Amino acid sequence: MIFKTDLDYRKQSLLKLLITVQKQEQNIIKALHDDFKKPSFEAVFTETDYILAELKHTIKNMNKWAKPQWVLPSLLNFPSTDYLYKEPYGKILIIAPWNYPYQLTLAPLIAAVASGNQVTVKPSELTPNTSKIIAEIIRETFDKNHVECIEGGTEVAQTLLAQRWDYIFFTGSVAVGKIVAKAAAEHLTPVTLELGGKNPCIIEQSANLKLTAKRIVWGKFLNAGQTCIAPDYLLVHQSIKTKLIAFLKEEIILAYGENPETSTDFARIINEKNWKRLLAILENQTVLIGGQSNAEDYYLAPTILDNPSLESLVMREEIFGPILPILSYESEPDLERIITKFEKPLSLYVFTEHNTFAKKIISKYTFGGGCINDTMIHFANKRLPFGGVGHSGIGAYHGKLSFDLFSHQKAIVKKANWLDIPIRYAPYRGKLNTIKKLLKWFS
Ligand code: NAD
């Protein structure tokens, strides 16, 4: 028997969760600050308020989402009524990363509970203060046999992955995503992998450059660039590069002041290992702005690099920090040569006033999702699926899609008995032409 909770119990659990997360909001904001000086505005905007909205939306809509869904029957089955019945998968494992540690643990958890599953979550060990509060919230809200939180690092994750689950939801790096996929294959467990990649951001000649620079600076330096959908590198048309750089410099100063180290609106790098990795990326590069660092709290200034070689470290891997390389292009084949050098990205952004150019880019390249004339905001629409493709991930979630993700959908045809068309039954002799005609009409 699979684990299954009834709708009323799921709803009561989520209402209890709502009370707990509201009570713990200030503790979460403080923990995020203690973990990597996440600005309180960003903590509310991208973590606590996001989760409150997701929770309220789920509580409000879950009865509707859980109902059997009628679908148009096939005329070949006439007369019938056809439905999708949603049932929970059973035991769900959620493994979360550190960069939005609260949101990326709680959002899948809310959906998995709403769909009636039993859930185990493992938050990241790199944000221990936030993980501790998440564990407290879960302990305070749920019965241990329904939802539990297991804290710990790689070994704990590996012990969990060695067990059999009915569904695994993983958010993190491509390298660990492959480990998760291999472990899941052992038991043929379905997975969602929310991974990363190098997200291109194209700026074409017609773009409104001041606004473009503002939106790029926001998307790149929020969370100190430690965002899976942050623009990873810019591809700007050669003719507007100098102008764009001037606007980018201006916008960085407007957002974080002359010395971003003293700004309370700029987060820190998560740990020494990542800070050193980012400093190594900067070696032998042309720094146009930024580059300053401080080992005391793993500070790295918002930094822009000019024209790095495609073979350099910064262009070889996902940056995941406040470093923005600017490359230029002259023609569309230049764009293609650079973009297709990398695996399919999680996001792609294009800034242009020309609709045809935007449409061409969107249809030509494969990527998880993206924006025209902005960065990252596609994440905020509950009606849009959020997820990658190829190396940037498998599956997508958010809003109702998250409920469906954690539900197995049983396809059921209820056949009526008042009519029984005999054509499909043996003996078949003399029926082939009629069935061919019927198939042709109904296809
Ligand atoms: P990570 O892959 O190092 O860790 C993620 C989780 O996996 C953690 O809970 C960690 O304890 C666990 N883990 C680490 N090594 C493991 C191993 N060998 N075996 C089993 N489990 C292991 O990722 P991270 O550093 O926490 O996060 C950064 C990465 O996550 C970036 O690549 C980023 O793009 C990606 N990311 C993707 C999304 C998305 O929604 N697509 C969101 C946030 C982050």
Side-chain angles (χ1 to χ4, degrees):
M1 277 297 283
I2 59 160
F3 180 92
K4 209 183 269 194
T5 54
D6 68 41
L7 249 184
D8 200 43
Y9 181 78
R10 303 175 200 176
K11 198 174 237 177
Q12 290 312 319
S13 303
L14 291 182
L15 283 167
K16 211 168 154 196
L17 181 63
L18 183 62
I19 293 167
T20 321
V21 296
Q22 281 169 329
K23 200 174 77 191
Q24 290 273 14
E25 183 171 4
Q26 288 312 314
N27 293 335
I28 285 286
I29 295 167
K30 182 180 179 307
L32 288 162
H33 191 268
D34 292 346
D35 281 331
F36 62 113
K37 284 203 175 159
K38 183 156 181 144
S40 57
F41 178 91
E42 290 184 13
V44 172
F45 179 51
T46 68
E47 308 246 22
T48 56
D49 258 29
Y50 180 89
I51 286 303
L52 275 181
E54 190 78 11
L55 193 45
K56 287 178 183 167
H57 181 69
T58 304
I59 291 169
K60 187 174 159 209
N61 292 293
M62 55 192 284
N63 282 22
K64 188 170 71 195
W65 296 342
K67 275 191 185 143
Q69 187 191 331
W70 177 84
V71 298
L72 204 62
S74 161
L75 280 176
L76 281 174
N77 293 337
F78 183 80
S80 77
T81 36
D82 298 12
Y83 291 97
L84 287 175
Y85 280 86
K86 294 175 191 178
E87 74 172 13
Y89 273 102
K91 278 170 62 186
I92 310 275
L93 174 64
I94 295 170
I95 299 182
W98 58 264
N99 63 329
Y100 291 86
Y102 178 67
Q103 188 220 115
L104 295 173
T105 308
L106 270 278
L109 167 66
I110 291 164
V113 168
S115 326
N117 296 282
Q118 182 182 33
V119 194
T120 298
V121 298
K122 195 211 78 68
S124 174
E125 70 280 19
L126 300 188
T127 41
N129 295 296
T130 311
S131 297
K132 187 167 160 258
I133 309 278
I134 291 172
E136 265 176 46
I137 290 173
I138 289 174
R139 224 175 310 138
E140 207 177 316
T141 309
F142 299 101
D143 183 306
K144 194 172 176 289
N145 296 320
H146 181 202
V147 180
E148 78 174 324
C149 176
I150 300 185
E151 289 181 84
T154 306
E155 301 85 60
V156 170
Q158 281 171 347
T159 309
L160 289 169
L161 285 171
Q163 297 169 29
R164 184 168 180 167
W165 301 91
D166 297 304
Y167 203 101
I168 299 175
F169 186 99
F170 171 79
T171 309
S173 60
V174 174
V176 180
K178 289 180 183 174
I179 294 172
V180 172
K182 274 187 195 150
E186 191 60 37
H187 299 291
L188 290 179
T189 301
V191 287
T192 291
L193 302 176
E194 294 282 339
L195 311 177
K198 282 190 92 60
N199 306 319
C201 179
I202 302 163
I203 305 101
E204 188 258 359
Q205 295 100 304
S206 66
N208 171 340
L209 289 188
K210 181 156 174 58
L211 195 55
T212 297
K214 191 184 236 4
R215 290 175 177 173
I216 290 173
V217 164
W218 172 75
K220 180 67 196 188
F221 300 115
L222 185 96
N223 218 39
Q226 301 164 118
T227 306
C228 55
I229 50 171
D232 187 273
Y233 61 97
L234 302 189
L235 281 167
V236 55
H237 193 271
Q238 183 60 40
S239 63
I240 51 163
K241 184 177 168 193
T242 312
K243 255 190 184 168
L244 179 71
I245 289 171
F247 280 125
L248 287 168
K249 286 182 181 173
E250 204 176 286
E251 290 299 333
I252 289 175
I253 293 168
L254 275 174
Y256 306 109
E258 291 285 348
N259 178 9
E261 191 168 7
T262 58
S263 167
T264 51
D265 295 335
F266 189 65
R268 296 302 186 257
I269 305 307
I270 188 65
N271 60 11
E272 186 180 18
K273 186 176 161 211
N274 273 289
W275 181 75
K276 284 191 166 158
R277 175 183 65 79
L278 291 166
L279 291 191
I281 280 178
L282 290 183
E283 275 171 28
N284 304 319
Q285 295 294 340
T286 309
V287 175
L288 295 174
I289 186 169
Q292 301 84 357
S293 60
N294 188 343
E296 220 164 82
D297 59 354
Y298 309 132
Y299 167 72
L300 177 58
T303 299
I304 296 184
L305 302 182
D306 190 23
N307 201 21
S309 132
L310 287 181
E311 308 312 319
S312 61
L313 264 184
V314 73
M315 291 308 295
R316 260 193 264 153
E317 53 183 51
E318 179 186 9
I319 297 170
F320 218 60
I323 299 174
L324 183 61
I326 305 193
L327 303 162
S328 58
Y329 74 94
E330 281 182 19
S331 62
E332 287 179 30
D334 291 345
L335 284 179
E336 185 174 347
R337 181 176 52 84
I338 298 170
I339 293 172
T340 56
K341 184 173 160 47
F342 305 105
E343 296 289 347
K344 293 166 191 160
L346 184 57
S347 305
L348 181 146
Y349 306 109
V350 53
F351 286 84
T352 178
E353 292 293 313
H354 292 149
N355 230 350
T356 42
F357 181 76
K359 278 188 185 158
K360 199 191 289 176
I361 295 295
I362 301 257
S363 63
K364 180 162 188 169
Y365 300 105
T366 302
F367 51 94
C371 310
I372 300 166
N373 291 328
D374 212 329
T375 59
M376 307 219 293
I377 56 165
H378 58 300
F379 185 90
N381 185 346
K382 293 182 185 68
R383 287 167 291 278
L384 288 175
F386 180 77
V389 56
H391 278 219
S392 58
I394 296 173
Y397 71 130
H398 281 187
K400 177 180 183 292
L401 293 158
S402 305
F403 184 96
D404 290 345
L405 182 90
F406 290 114
S407 307
H408 164 62
Q409 307 209 23
K410 279 180 188 155
I412 302 293
V413 171
K414 185 178 176 221
K415 183 79 180 179
N417 289 342
W418 59 267
L419 179 69
D420 192 33
I421 300 167
I423 183 106
R424 65 180 152 132
Y425 302 113
Y428 302 132
R429 194 156 29 89
K431 293 179 174 174
L432 195 56
N433 282 340
T434 319
I435 199 92
K436 269 184 163 181
K437 273 186 199 151
L438 283 174
L439 285 170
K440 207 171 153 193
W441 289 338
F442 295 146
S443 61

